Amino acid sequence: MTDARGNARPNGEAPARHTPGTPCWVSLMVHGLEATEEFYGALFGWEFSPGPRQLGPYVRALLDGREVAGIGVLPPDRELPVAWTPYFASDDVDLTADVVRSCGGTIGVGPLDAADSGRLAIGSDPCGAVFGVRQAAANPGTAVTGVPGTPAWHELTTFESARTAKFYETVFGHDEEPGISADPGHVTLCLDGRPVAGVHGVGDALPRHRGPHWTTYFTVADADDAVGRVLRLGGQVLEPPRDGVHGRVAAVADPEGARFALLRSPR
């Protein structure tokens, strides 16, 4: 991870419109919606409101009435992983979907209209990592960042970083952060000189049972305290809290196994 600032402004508000290519939303599909609401409500202080009917049973997670994320229910007849999925902003989701396909990726869902959430598509990159594309309508996406309980960063773990990064650069207009990273397997994706996501190539160290995947980092006030709450609420600790140059971070999973990270940024 290179930067956890995301789209935060000093007062915690996000821009009304996300620049194309910016992570603008994050969504989780689960089997048990009510139990998942209880877990994240207790962990992050989220409240919930009904989401677009086109997405099936779906709720929007709110902090102080402002939208943070979405949670939906997996179709019972499909074997799909329970995982957090980042969405990238687009001015034309149909065109972006065409570029995804032309660059060797796939589109598995959509593009489709989802009421005030705009037009959506869910796809995967050439290595199989799943991501979403979102063309905003009345609702621009995540409305607050930089405070506890909000997405802070998105990191892709994959086989090889350079070629995978080129895919996202072509599809979303990202640039690579100038300079040489301390980790040669890590690439930081930028827009207008601002870091927006990371790509980490780990080669054969990537677990075969997981494959390439995105991880969402959520801001917390205290990583150690948040880990304790995850355990008390029935979740798992995958990597205990540790200090790094970007703050104190831990890797955890919710009761259904969806993995995410907790980040306490330095003051």
Side-chain angles (χ1 to χ4, degrees):
M1 183 178 59
T2 302
D3 193 299
R5 290 172 295 175
N7 297 311
R9 290 180 174 180
N11 63 2
E13 291 286 352
R17 175 184 174 278
H18 294 272
T19 302
T22 304
C24 63
W25 188 246
V26 63
S27 186
L28 172 65
M29 301 299 288
V30 300
H31 299 288
L33 184 58
E34 184 176 343
T36 301
E37 288 183 42
E38 291 177 0
F39 174 85
Y40 287 100
L43 179 61
F44 292 138
W46 290 351
E47 298 178 335
F48 300 91
S49 67
R53 294 181 180 179
Q54 294 90 334
L55 303 178
Y58 191 88
V59 295
R60 293 174 173 142
L62 311 175
L63 270 178
D64 297 325
R66 294 173 293 180
E67 297 186 2
V68 174
I71 302 175
V73 176
L74 286 165
D77 58 341
R78 298 183 65 184
E79 290 293 329
L80 298 172
V82 177
W84 281 102
T85 300
Y87 284 68
F88 294 89
S90 170
D91 283 340
D92 187 333
V93 70
D94 294 81
L95 177 59
T96 301
D98 288 341
V99 178
V100 167
R101 297 185 188 101
S102 69
C103 291
T106 60
I107 297 295
V109 177
L112 57 84
D113 292 319
D116 64 346
S117 290
R119 193 158 172 79
L120 311 175
I122 300 175
S124 59
D125 66 28
C127 292
V130 176
F131 62 91
V133 185
R134 193 173 193 270
Q135 179 181 339
N139 175 354
T142 300
V144 56
T145 59
V147 298
T150 62
W153 184 250
H154 302 281
E155 185 87 7
L156 172 61
T157 304
T158 188
F159 297 109
E160 195 271 332
S161 58
R163 281 184 294 177
T164 303
K166 292 298 181 186
F167 168 84
Y168 290 93
E169 291 165 20
T170 303
V171 172
F172 294 112
H174 296 147
D175 296 314
E176 292 185 23
E177 185 177 51
I180 300 175
S181 171
D183 181 352
H186 190 277
V187 172
T188 300
L189 301 176
C190 301
L191 284 172
D192 300 324
R194 178 174 59 88
V196 295
V199 180
H200 192 197
V202 298
D204 293 338
L206 187 69
R208 290 184 177 274
H209 66 282
R210 294 209 63 202
H213 58 275
W214 282 94
T215 299
T216 295
Y217 289 68
F218 290 93
T219 300
V220 293
D222 185 311
D224 295 81
D225 177 69
V227 162
R229 275 181 282 144
V230 167
L231 290 172
R232 290 193 296 273
L233 293 167
Q236 308 171 58
V237 176
L238 307 175
E239 296 178 15
R242 65 188 187 281
D243 292 318
V245 294
H246 304 290
R248 192 160 176 80
V249 65
V252 297
D254 69 21
E256 285 204 23
R259 297 169 179 244
F260 58 100
L262 305 168
L263 174 68
R264 171 64 174 95
S265 298
R267 294 184 183 275

